[in-house]
């Protein structure tokens, strides 16, 4: 697919490196970006941030274009300003995860805008009974670009390999119960507080369902990092 003259002008004007120019030309062709969307991608430095989220899309999505779209769509880390981190860490982990989920549901429009274009919200704690076993999907979306159901599995703490097994089961059920003709295989994202990228990539190798692992943070945490610690504050006061 060719791209417009204005797209080429934008890339030539704003990008100096030849490899970066090739990247943005290919990105425009594969994702059918508007000029405004292209400018946002350049401003976000998509070239240097491409494929940052650990995932197995390249080996589990057979269509190259769709795999590329999936890799480009998701970030390694998401800033969720509407999560009140002061509420977390004082209760059971499951309760904390439900707090995060509720904050996202109450701000679902902002959450979708954070994740990118083409997302439609289906529901939270979506229940499926498969062979007498209950499955509860934390957050379920449909993405028009990927033509896939997208599961977001929320975890309060550090990544654990068991999260991928749980997510793979959800994706299997969704492909059996929800996917309709013309849609691609469902894909899933574990959204947790911390993750060791190298370890995640290592564990992902044996999974055949398309999955990735991203992390989240709040600007409240960034602000706390900028402030002096408690002892320094006492000295200053």
């Amino acid at each position: 697919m060719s791209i417009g003259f204005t797209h080429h002008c934008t890339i030539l004007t704003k990008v100096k490196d030849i490899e970066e120019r090739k990247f943005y030309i290919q990105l425009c062709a594969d994702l059918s970006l508007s000029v405004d969307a292209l400018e946002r991608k350049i401003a976000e430095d998509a070239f240097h941030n491409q494929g940052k989220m650990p995932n197995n899309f390249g080996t589990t999505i057979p269509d190259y274009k769709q795999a590329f779209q999936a890799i480009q769509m998701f970030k390694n880390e998401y800033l969720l300003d509407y999560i009140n981190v002061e509420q977390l860490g004082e209760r059971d982990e499951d309760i904390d995860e439900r707090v995060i989920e509720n904050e996202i549901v109450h701000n679902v429009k902002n959450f979708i805008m954070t994740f990118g274009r083409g997302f439609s919200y289906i529901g939270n704690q979506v229940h499926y009974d498969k062979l007498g076993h209950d499955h509860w999907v934390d957050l379920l979306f449909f993405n028009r670009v990927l033509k896939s159901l997208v599961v977001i599995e929320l975890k309060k703490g550090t990544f654990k390999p068991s999260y991928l097994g749980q997510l793979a089961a959800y994706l299997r059920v969704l492909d059996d119960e929800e996917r309709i003709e013309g849609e691609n295989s469902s894909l899933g994202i574990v959204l947790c507080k911390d993750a060791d990228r190298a370890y995640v990539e290592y564990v992902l190798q044996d999974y055949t369902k398309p999955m990735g692992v991203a992390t989240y943070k709040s600007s409240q945490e960034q602000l706390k990092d900028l402030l002096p610690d408690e002892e320094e504050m006492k000295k200053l006061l």
Side-chain angles (χ1 to χ4, degrees):
M1 175 183 173
S2 60
I3 67 173
F5 177 74
T6 307
H7 290 78
H8 282 292
C9 289
T10 301
I11 293 169
L12 289 171
T13 302
K14 297 180 177 292
V15 180
K16 305 304 179 186
D17 182 78
I18 297 297
E19 289 304 313
E20 284 190 48
R21 287 176 176 175
K22 291 179 181 177
F23 168 81
Y24 287 111
I25 290 170
Q26 188 66 51
L27 192 67
C28 287
D30 286 341
L31 301 186
S32 302
L33 296 179
S34 66
V35 174
D36 286 343
L38 168 61
E39 290 179 341
R40 285 196 298 273
K41 288 290 185 184
I42 294 173
E44 293 169 359
D45 197 12
F47 176 77
H48 290 102
N49 290 302
Q50 59 180 311
K52 292 294 186 181
M53 182 187 74
N55 65 81
N56 62 358
F57 299 152
T59 57
T60 58
I61 300 177
D63 181 80
Y64 163 77
K65 182 176 180 181
Q66 191 204 357
F68 181 77
Q69 288 174 325
I71 290 169
Q72 292 300 318
M73 182 165 292
F74 299 101
K75 302 176 185 176
N76 182 51
E77 184 174 65
Y78 291 90
L79 183 64
L80 305 181
D81 280 337
Y82 35 83
I83 293 178
N84 184 359
V85 293
E86 297 298 332
Q87 297 182 59
L88 306 180
E90 299 177 359
R91 292 157 296 196
D92 181 84
E93 185 170 298
D94 289 340
I95 296 177
D96 276 348
E97 287 170 5
R98 190 57 58 86
V99 168
I100 296 168
E101 179 184 318
N102 288 338
E103 293 288 346
I104 288 173
V105 171
H106 291 153
N107 296 274
V108 70
K109 182 178 180 181
N110 290 334
F111 185 77
I112 289 174
M113 290 174 66
T114 301
F115 261 76
R117 68 190 185 97
F119 282 92
S120 297
Y121 173 64
I122 295 176
N124 69 298
Q125 291 304 307
V126 182
H127 177 248
Y128 294 95
D129 182 333
K130 191 65 175 178
L131 302 177
H133 293 268
D134 290 319
H135 298 79
W136 299 91
V137 174
D138 283 350
L139 294 166
L140 183 60
F141 297 87
F142 183 80
N143 185 268
R144 293 173 59 205
V145 177
L146 300 175
K147 295 182 176 61
S148 297
L149 290 163
V150 178
V151 174
I152 307 293
E153 183 66 14
L154 298 169
K155 297 298 178 185
K156 171 206 168 186
T158 301
F159 168 80
K160 297 176 183 177
S162 59
Y163 298 159
L164 295 178
Q166 181 183 24
L167 185 56
Y170 292 165
L171 296 177
R172 175 71 273 166
V173 173
L174 283 169
D175 282 343
D176 285 346
E177 301 291 333
E178 287 285 4
R179 185 169 58 140
I180 62 175
E181 186 177 351
E183 292 181 356
N184 295 310
S185 296
S186 307
L187 60 85
I189 306 296
V190 173
L191 187 59
C192 54
K193 191 68 186 68
D194 298 292
D196 181 328
R197 179 186 180 87
Y199 182 57
V200 171
E201 290 177 337
Y202 174 76
V203 176
L204 272 169
Q205 292 179 92
D206 288 331
Y207 284 91
T208 58
K209 290 293 183 183
M211 297 185 289
V213 177
T215 59
Y216 66 85
K217 64 180 178 181
S218 167
S219 59
Q220 298 174 42
E221 293 173 297
Q222 292 179 310
L223 181 59
K224 287 169 68 177
D225 289 341
L226 294 173
L227 292 172
D229 61 28
E230 186 177 348
E231 291 303 317
E232 282 190 65
M233 288 290 286
K234 288 178 181 178
K235 292 177 182 178
L236 290 172
L237 293 172

